[in-house]
Amino acid sequence: MQIKKQLAQLTPYQPGKPIEEVKREFNLKTVVKLASNENPFGYSESAKIALQSEILQMPLYPDGSSQSLRTKLAKHLGVNEMKIIFGNGADEVIQILSRSMLDSNSNTVMANPTFSQYKHNAVIEGAEVREINLLENGCHDLDLMLDAIDQQTKIVWVCSPNNPTGSYEPEQKLMRFLDQVPKHVLVVLDEAYYEYVTAEDYTETTPLLNRYPNLMILRTFSKAYGLAALRVGYGIASEQLIQAIEPARQPFNINRLAQAAALGALDDQVFIKDCVRKNREGLQQYYDFCSTHGLKYYPTQTNFILIDFNRDADELFAALLRQGYIVRSGKALGFPTSLRISVGTKEQNEGFLNTLIRML
Ligand SMILES: *Cc1c(COP(=O)(O)O)cnc(C)c1O
């Protein structure tokens, strides 16, 4: 047997440690997970009700085109419903795009550090990966990314806000970039944290789709909508592009419970507004902590914050784990002395920060 040789250089995705495992390992009663940017406020009641009424339908395959969800989401976004492709998480849309466009004769351009799955999928497809270091402020170096593009470039990935820095690309910079990217290159704008953004100069990108046929926007129900377990993400792009990549999508990739819950969740925008407000308040707890203790961090438009503690991130991570807090060590994310911390509830943030103060 022969496995593609590029797989030998990859390891499976390392998720944040599960709460149950940490409880057992360290004999703890309560463990708080601030590692995967999940919504600490749960998910909307309207999604719960929708889930319950779907429960009897399990013997039936889901609607392969997610039609009801498609119609409602398209209306919510103000785009034509043919401009949407659904994925089993935005992760699957990244996989579909990579599978559809990348091969060993092509290259793909992305920031470094950024969300790991762009590179992971590109490597599997055998494409050359061109990584351009982030600027000092945690933003993409869009000029150098433009310079890295050539005739063999198929996809440029822009993660805004970026994971793990939380930085975003302001409107003017982004527009100038989009104007200069050659038409043969797809720009994937990953907006997984779109709902959390409050910056005034963050671009509303869906109206740009008419102007840039080589643009795809990625969003997800995993973060602000609190439905990470159900795996629903989507891409928005020109009808032509969506049609071209649809054959690479699995026929029933969005399961029934996921479709029902996402449909219900869209009805409750008050829940989202409320979460965004509480998230900003939670972030302020971290900002205040950082300024009190003289710690550097990136101002963030997301529900996580990357803080530089000036010490070995893996050791700090391990010490926090023993105290019942699961965070993300920056080591594997390209920031060896930082932690990426998801914003929790007010009480979780307080407990976590007090624990940190005792330890530091
Ligand atoms: C969480 C995340 C995703 C993936 O989200 P899913 O829809 O759960 O697959 C994509 N991009 C970024 C930047 C993320 O942080």
Side-chain angles (χ1 to χ4, degrees), residues 89-91 115 118 159 163 190 192-193 220 222-223 231-233:
D91 279 346
F115 189 56
Y118 318 142
C159 189
N163 186 355
D190 186 340
Y193 299 93
T220 179
S222 297
K223 304 284 159 64
R231 319 298 303 122
V232 195

Side-chain angles (χ1 to χ4, degrees), residues 36-37 87-92 94 114-115 117-118 159-163 190-193 218-223 227-228 231-234 304 340:
S36 302
N37 310 335
N88 195 249
D91 279 346
E92 195 200 9
I94 296 168
T114 189
F115 189 56
Q117 292 305 296
Y118 318 142
C159 189
S160 178
N162 187 42
N163 186 355
D190 186 340
E191 299 184 340
Y193 299 93
L218 298 184
R219 293 194 192 154
T220 179
F221 285 91
S222 297
K223 304 284 159 64
L227 297 176
R231 319 298 303 122
V232 195
Y234 55 95
F304 61 82
R340 192 194 69 190

Side-chain angles (χ1 to χ4, degrees), residues 61-322:
Y61 277 104
D63 173 358
S65 64
S66 304
Q67 190 54 54
S68 310
L69 176 58
R70 177 182 299 277
T71 303
K72 186 174 261 181
L73 180 63
K75 192 155 169 244
H76 175 72
L77 297 170
V79 302
N80 183 304
E81 63 180 48
M82 300 302 283
K83 288 190 159 148
I84 299 171
I85 183 168
F86 287 101
N88 195 249
D91 279 346
E92 195 200 9
V93 185
I94 296 168
Q95 184 187 49
I96 291 169
L97 283 169
S98 303
R99 210 175 164 197
S100 304
M101 299 181 73
L102 301 178
D103 59 25
S104 55
N105 298 317
S106 56
N107 70 68
T108 179
V109 176
M110 63 193 68
N112 179 41
T114 189
F115 189 56
S116 60
Q117 292 305 296
Y118 318 142
K119 181 174 180 177
H120 189 92
N121 281 283
V123 169
I124 291 175
E125 302 305 335
E128 179 199 339
V129 177
R130 298 185 174 175
E131 298 177 274
I132 308 298
N133 287 343
L134 292 174
L135 296 167
E136 194 81 29
N137 61 5
C139 291
H140 289 46
D141 191 333
L142 295 178
D143 291 331
L144 278 191
M145 288 176 77
L146 275 174
D147 290 346
I149 292 172
D150 64 18
Q151 276 308 313
Q152 272 61 55
T153 305
K154 306 292 176 188
I155 307 178
V156 179
W157 306 87
V158 177
C159 189
S160 178
N162 187 42
N163 186 355
T165 53
S167 319
Y168 71 104
E169 302 308 317
E171 179 153 27
Q172 277 198 331
K173 263 183 72 189
L174 184 67
M175 299 299 288
R176 207 162 40 112
F177 176 74
L178 290 173
D179 280 333
Q180 291 177 80
V181 173
K183 294 300 162 233
H184 72 275
V185 179
L186 173 68
V187 179
V188 179
L189 204 51
D190 186 340
E191 299 184 340
Y193 299 93
Y194 167 82
E195 292 81 6
Y196 282 116
V197 175
T198 56
E200 300 261 330
D201 57 347
Y202 184 76
T203 331
E204 190 58 60
T205 45
T206 44
L208 300 179
L209 290 168
N210 295 325
R211 197 151 123 210
Y212 303 102
N214 60 333
L215 173 64
M216 172 168 287
I217 301 161
L218 298 184
R219 293 194 192 154
T220 179
F221 285 91
S222 297
K223 304 284 159 64
Y225 282 95
L227 297 176
L230 290 172
R231 319 298 303 122
V232 195
Y234 55 95
I236 325 162
S238 76
E239 205 173 318
Q240 210 179 5
L241 176 63
I242 297 291
Q243 263 183 20
I245 62 172
E246 266 284 328
R249 181 179 68 79
Q250 281 189 42
F252 302 107
N253 62 337
I254 313 299
N255 71 66
R256 270 188 181 272
L257 293 174
Q259 289 186 35
L263 202 60
L266 278 175
D267 278 334
D268 191 356
Q269 292 302 316
V270 174
F271 173 80
I272 299 293
K273 272 216 187 78
D274 203 42
C275 289
V276 172
R277 180 180 54 78
K278 288 191 271 200
N279 181 62
R280 289 317 304 181
E281 290 168 3
L283 273 176
Q284 196 57 48
Q285 293 175 268
Y286 287 89
Y287 290 163
D288 292 345
F289 167 83
C290 288
S291 74
T292 304
H293 297 275
L295 297 171
K296 280 208 300 191
Y297 63 92
Y298 291 101
T300 173
Q301 290 293 315
T302 63
N303 66 336
F304 61 82
I305 182 166
L306 189 69
I307 302 177
D308 189 352
F309 290 91
N310 275 314
R311 60 177 73 197
D312 185 90
D314 281 357
E315 282 172 23
L316 189 52
F317 163 83
L320 281 163
L321 208 56
R322 289 192 290 273

